[in-house]
Amino acid sequence: MAYNILILNGPNLNMLGTREPEIYGAQTLDDLENYCRESAATLGMKCTCFQSNLEGDLVGKIQTAAAEFDGIIINAAAYTHTSVAIHDAFKTCPLPFIEVHLSNVYAREEFRHKSLISSLAKGVLCGFGQMGYSLALQAMKEILNSRED
Ligand code: DQA
């Protein structure tokens, strides 16, 4: 059965394309989501993409993901650096997850150097633009293939 992956994008990522293109590139959220679906299909996987500007929406998706999905790839955007609620949601989520950022957060302001979710993630990818999502899908497939169960 094909793995089903939930891809979560957080606040302001709906503005991709017009938002600081020198940092985030010219692709829109639609472009990014299409790229993710194509990358997943190439790997023989399925993915569902969801974006919200609201912390509670992301928490809700993480809480219910295990009923439908095998793993989560998340760009929590600014909530990465602030959200105890998203950290806590992942603490009780049984699924493996990978943290992704389009930009290299370590080459930017210091407040972006701290993530409240990295310690719970299988791994973190940042600075590779949209390719980071494709790399995360590849890594997720390997992680799921090597599960004991
Ligand atoms: C981001 C980096 C965050 O610091 C920022 O708040 C974002 C996007 C990225 O993809 O590079 O909104 O997660």
Side-chain angles (χ1 to χ4, degrees):
M1 221 177 54
Y3 296 131
N4 198 8
I5 309 303
L6 177 62
I7 299 191
L8 294 176
N9 282 305
N12 297 304
L13 293 172
N14 57 314
M15 300 302 287
L16 286 175
T18 51
R19 174 191 184 197
E20 299 177 275
E22 66 288 358
I23 295 175
Y24 296 114
Q27 88 280 359
T28 64
L29 179 64
D30 266 0
D31 296 335
L32 176 63
E33 291 184 345
N34 284 332
Y35 172 82
C36 288
R37 281 186 283 269
E38 280 164 23
S39 299
T42 304
L43 291 162
M45 306 201 291
K46 287 200 297 180
C47 77
T48 296
C49 300
F50 176 81
Q51 186 277 333
S52 179
N53 293 324
L54 304 180
E55 189 175 27
D57 285 352
L58 298 166
V59 168
K61 289 289 179 190
I62 295 163
Q63 285 178 356
T64 57
E68 208 183 329
F69 298 98
D70 300 296
I72 300 174
I73 291 168
I74 183 166
N75 183 347
Y79 288 141
T80 306
H81 318 298
T82 63
S83 179
V84 176
I86 292 176
H87 170 98
D88 286 350
F90 276 124
K91 262 207 141 150
T92 46
C93 176
L95 301 180
F97 81 93
I98 296 174
E99 177 183 345
V100 171
H101 301 282
L102 292 160
S103 65
N104 178 357
V105 287
Y106 298 102
R108 302 181 62 195
E109 303 96 319
E110 205 169 327
F111 66 83
R112 296 185 203 277
H113 299 182
K114 171 94 187 147
S115 165
L116 298 192
I117 60 172
S118 296
S119 62
L120 302 172
K122 286 287 178 192
V124 182
L125 282 152
C126 74
F128 297 107
Q130 67 175 13
M131 185 174 63
Y133 290 73
S134 173
L135 295 171
L137 282 162
Q138 286 176 50
M140 185 61 77
K141 184 176 177 179
E142 295 295 327
I143 290 164
L144 294 171
N145 277 343
S146 61
R147 275 185 316 195
E148 300 278 307
D149 56 25

